[in-house]
């Protein structure tokens, strides 16, 4: 990379750090190209981005952002993953790390709060934003279906009673 490419990359990362809500730092020592391709596919499917960055350039991009607390994690072969949905990026990275021991989660940051490995894994266990929305809609719809069932029950009972009287009248 020449200086202009480095400046452009630092500016790109600074924009990312100013616009995202969650960053996860990983150590990717020994990952094959196929592994990284599969990881990027999973991360992209979760609506996140995974990027290998030079530590010095990433540290420069971190200056003055809310994620400045992850600077000490940038040692050795590291990569960054980020997303607007904090659960999605954490879940994608942690699930891949479970199946591939060469990817190690070093920590991350949620806004200005620096997270350790345990916190990132705990965040990954939470339901995603879409799952929470689906549960909320289900909870809202449940009382409505119960009310409809309760209001229809007396009419159905009356119909059964009239049907029973009709059958006894026919039998007599």
């Amino acid at each position: 990379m020449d200086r202009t490419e480095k400046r452009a990359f630092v500016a790109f990362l600074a924009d990312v750090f100013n616009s995202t809500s969650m960053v996860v730092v990983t150590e990717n020592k020994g990952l094959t190209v196929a592994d990284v391709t599969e990881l990027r596919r999973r991360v992209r499917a979760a609506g996140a981005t995974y990027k290998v960055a030079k530590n010095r350039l990433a540290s420069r991009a971190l200056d003055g952002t809310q994620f400045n607390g992850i600077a000490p994690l940038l040692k050795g072969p590291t990569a960054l993953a980020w997303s607007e949905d904090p659960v999605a990026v954490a879940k994608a990275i942690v699930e891949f790390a479970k199946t591939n021991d060469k990817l190690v989660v070093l920590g991350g940051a949620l806004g200005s709060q620096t997270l350790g490995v345990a916190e990132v894994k705990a965040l990954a266990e939470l339901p995603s934003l879409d799952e929470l929305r689906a549960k909320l809609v289900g909870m809202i719809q449940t009382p409505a279906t119960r009310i409809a069932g309760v209001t229809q029950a007396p009419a159905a009972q009356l119909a059964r009673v009239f049907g029973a009287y009709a059958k006894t009248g026919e039998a007599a």
Side-chain angles (χ1 to χ4, degrees):
M1 285 181 133
D2 64 357
R3 285 186 176 179
T4 56
E5 290 174 328
K6 288 178 182 179
R7 283 188 192 120
F9 187 70
V10 169
F12 165 73
L13 279 180
D15 287 341
V16 165
F17 294 143
N18 286 324
S19 64
T20 192
S21 65
M22 173 74 174
V23 176
V24 178
V25 181
T26 63
E27 181 181 84
N28 55 353
K29 192 183 296 185
L31 285 175
T32 65
V33 173
D35 292 338
V36 173
T37 303
E38 175 63 20
L39 174 59
R40 283 193 171 126
R41 185 190 63 76
R42 288 187 189 182
V43 169
R44 196 175 310 115
T49 306
Y50 179 82
K51 192 106 175 136
V52 176
K54 289 190 174 223
N55 295 334
R56 195 176 92 253
L57 298 178
S59 294
R60 284 188 181 171
L62 282 171
D63 287 339
T65 66
Q66 61 183 348
F67 299 110
N68 204 16
I70 63 171
L73 300 175
L74 299 175
K75 293 181 180 155
T78 58
L80 303 170
W82 62 84
S83 173
E84 283 300 314
D85 183 4
V87 175
V89 69
K91 191 173 285 197
I93 295 293
V94 169
E95 285 181 10
F96 187 83
K98 285 180 185 176
T99 60
N100 192 328
D101 59 344
K102 293 179 183 173
L103 180 75
V104 179
V105 177
L106 298 176
L110 180 59
S112 60
Q113 183 178 1
T114 304
L115 304 174
V117 178
E119 288 98 355
V120 172
K121 288 182 178 179
L123 194 60
E125 292 175 5
L126 293 174
S128 71
L129 190 58
D130 289 336
E131 291 173 14
L132 287 174
R133 286 178 181 153
K135 286 181 182 180
L136 183 62
V137 167
M139 289 172 56
I140 291 171
Q141 285 180 342
T142 300
T145 56
R146 286 186 182 163
I147 290 172
V150 167
T151 57
Q152 289 176 352
Q157 288 175 345
L158 281 175
R160 283 192 290 274
V161 168
F162 290 143
Y165 278 124
K167 286 181 184 177
T168 57
E170 291 174 5

